[in-house]
Amino acid sequence: MRAADRCTDRPGPPGHLGHVVVIGGGIAGLAAAHRLLADGVRVTLLEAGPRLGGKLYAGELAGAPVDLGAESVLARRPEALDLAKAVGLGDALQAPATATAHLWTRGALRPMPRGHVMGVPGELGPLAASGVLSAEGLARIGAERELPPAELGEDVAVGAYVAARLGHEVVDRLVEPLLGGVYAGNSYRLSMRAAVPQLFEAARTHRSLTEGVRELQRRAAASPQAAGPVFAGIEGGVGRLPEAVADACRAAGARLRTGTPARGLLRTAGGWQVVTDDGVTEADGVVLATPAGPAARLLDGLAPAAAAELRAVEYASMALVTMAFRRSELPAPVAEGGASGFLVPPVDGRTVKASTFSSNKWAWSGADPELFLLRTSVGRHGDEQDLGREDGELVGLSLTDLGEAVGLTARPVATTVTRWDGGLPQYPVGHLGRVARIRTAVAALPGLAVCGALYDGVGIPACVASADRAAQALTAAFGTPGTDH
């Protein structure tokens, strides 16, 4: 390769972390870049796709702003909110205007019962009042006190354990739709230790699962965060967050390049070389913030054990169907009911897995009095056959389900379908062991770190925390120019 083809970026002084290449421009990669820049490191970020932000995607429908990806962040973890404030979005943070959600199950919309942890109840009263479970299902939960203590071992599937303790009905009609809303996965395969660690700890330390859930609820009620909202959004959409982080990174001197896939990753005597279609970028360190597939390809010759583990990670695909309606044409339960939407247990056999009434849930989304925005989600891990349908078919199937659920007969004035193929990593039993093995193999390569949704959690705060961990690992190991070891 001609010298003129090489990127002008150069590593920092020997023994210091002067320049880092971040591969992947989702929220984890952007957060890693932001943290490294704050620590005085020069950063080049490479994103294979045409835009930054990954699963955070701000769009527009019928002239109104919409989120075409993730639409809220967990407010009881600080990482995402702190990042939003750091990049100038503090005043744009909003709590949901309503948190009144429902379950569409057993032929009716039913209120989401209170007093549970990811669908696992601590008290029978609210659950019985909701009508979500049958009398037999409620009796099965009450019979847990007669069961002997259960051994969890190192890990266990959420659905399998909860069904053994409380019966399949509570899993199928509560745990499945709630966990599915986070992971687009199957609770009978998802790791309790990785996906719901607080529940795993409660099950490990209490004879009764419902007793453990009550203890978790008591602790939550006593925490400083209990008075605040569980979730938060951003005026104009959570998709504004990666845009703001990218702007802050550029202002701090970072080079952010889209449409630039990393083709190769090489170790050198002085650090690293990242090969792209238009040259080689030299760096002291590299952060891999990509999904498992691209990370595996880049690590094949460097860390074959890590690459093999990454190839074993499965992903769920899904589609979001976003629709705009004339508010005056909608049934009262939607336009005037104040509900934020509903979840659908897979056992009920519907096409949609959830629906969000965006114009009710977010004040900024309901600002136009003539327009009403809502969206549905289709597909989850192991249930993706409908994703092969055309966009128009997905819209039609969503309208059919909405008609049965809430009496919707109006036709939308605008629609868009956003497909997230391989969008969410799955956390099966043993996932944390796999992550530990990947990180051990990567740690043997000085100047390399990994982060993203497949390591520390799929939520936005977890991705930001994962990015901070990767950035800190590099700066701790190498220091930055002008600092001592």
Side-chain angles (χ1 to χ4, degrees):
M1 182 174 290
R2 297 173 301 157
D5 291 332
R6 291 180 175 270
C7 178
T8 56
D9 286 311
R10 291 290 183 266
H16 287 289
L17 195 66
H19 177 230
V20 170
V21 172
V22 177
I23 303 175
I27 190 60
L30 288 165
H34 186 265
R35 175 58 187 261
L36 288 163
L37 289 160
D39 288 338
V41 179
R42 288 185 297 115
V43 172
T44 299
L45 183 145
L46 307 176
E47 165 55 39
R51 65 172 186 85
L52 300 172
K55 309 306 180 295
L56 279 63
Y57 186 13
E60 185 177 283
L61 187 66
V66 294
D67 269 317
L68 300 176
E71 48 101 35
S72 65
V73 301
L74 184 64
R76 291 185 177 176
R77 285 191 61 164
E79 297 91 347
L81 301 186
D82 288 348
L83 180 61
K85 294 170 185 175
V87 298
L89 292 178
D91 291 341
L93 292 169
Q94 289 188 0
T98 178
T100 305
H102 291 77
L103 285 163
W104 183 28
T105 187
R106 301 177 64 218
L109 275 184
R110 303 176 186 277
M112 180 70 71
R114 299 184 180 277
H116 64 85
V117 172
M118 201 54 75
V120 181
E123 301 286 350
L124 286 182
L127 185 54
S130 72
V132 169
L133 299 192
S134 67
E136 293 79 8
L138 292 167
R140 178 62 181 82
I141 296 172
E144 190 209 8
R145 59 181 175 270
E146 301 170 9
L147 299 177
E151 291 293 331
L152 275 76
E154 289 297 314
D155 200 359
V156 66
V158 180
Y161 182 83
V162 176
R165 301 299 299 176
L166 307 179
H168 284 279
E169 195 171 339
V170 71
V171 176
D172 293 342
R173 299 197 184 277
L174 271 170
V175 177
E176 280 272 70
L178 284 160
L179 266 182
V182 178
Y183 292 93
N186 185 329
S187 72
Y188 289 96
R189 297 185 71 243
L190 287 172
S191 158
M192 185 189 291
R193 188 176 167 208
V196 201
Q198 73 274 30
L199 191 64
F200 181 82
E201 182 63 18
R204 192 181 66 82
T205 56
H206 291 78
R207 184 184 186 282
S208 161
L209 184 57
T210 52
E211 177 187 318
V213 168
R214 288 194 293 273
E215 176 61 25
L216 288 174
Q217 292 168 336
R218 284 191 289 269
R219 291 182 195 171
S223 70
Q225 296 83 13
V230 177
F231 295 99
I234 294 175
E235 184 177 359
V238 167
R240 291 181 60 199
L241 178 59
E243 297 172 356
V245 178
D247 287 344
C249 288
R250 292 188 188 99
R255 299 178 67 228
L256 309 182
R257 303 176 62 194
T258 56
T260 310
R263 303 295 188 186
L265 189 58
L266 306 170
R267 285 282 292 148
T268 68
W272 292 88
Q273 291 183 334
V274 182
V275 182
T276 63
D277 291 336
D278 58 359
V280 173
T281 300
E282 299 184 36
D284 302 293
V286 172
V287 174
L288 275 179
T290 69
R297 289 192 291 273
L298 291 171
L299 291 176
D300 254 337
L302 294 164
E309 294 284 1
L310 286 162
R311 284 198 173 88
V313 176
E314 297 181 17
Y315 281 77
S317 297
M318 62 178 297
L320 294 175
V321 180
T322 307
M323 296 176 275
F325 294 86
R326 294 181 181 88
R327 189 183 294 264
S328 60
E329 297 179 355
L330 294 177
V334 176
E336 302 171 11
S340 63
F342 59 85
L343 298 173
V344 187
V347 72
D348 282 294
R350 308 294 184 174
T351 298
V352 305
K353 301 301 182 285
S355 181
T356 300
F357 302 161
S358 304
S359 290
N360 285 344
K361 187 172 182 178
W362 304 110
W364 60 267
S365 185
D368 185 341
E370 303 300 323
L371 200 67
F372 192 96
L373 300 173
L374 66 77
R375 71 183 195 176
T376 64
S377 63
V378 178
R380 68 167 191 156
H381 189 258
D383 183 11
E384 299 172 353
Q385 65 273 13
D386 285 324
L387 299 181
R389 298 177 183 271
E390 299 292 333
D391 287 1
E393 289 184 274
L394 292 182
V395 171
L397 290 168
S398 293
L399 289 171
T400 297
D401 278 353
L402 287 165
E404 290 190 41
V406 296
L408 178 69
T409 58
R411 305 301 299 178
V413 297
T415 66
T416 188
V417 176
T418 314
R419 296 174 185 269
W420 297 107
D421 296 328
L424 284 170
Q426 297 301 288
Y427 284 20
V429 174
H431 179 76
L432 293 183
R434 170 170 290 140
V435 169
R437 292 190 294 274
I438 293 169
R439 282 195 161 128
T440 296
V442 167
L445 299 168
L448 181 66
V450 294
C451 65
L454 77 90
Y455 301 101
D456 301 301
V458 299
I460 299 171
C463 289
V464 175
S466 182
D468 282 348
R469 175 176 176 170
Q472 290 175 31
L474 292 187
T475 55
F478 285 85
T480 56
T483 67
D484 294 325
H485 289 290

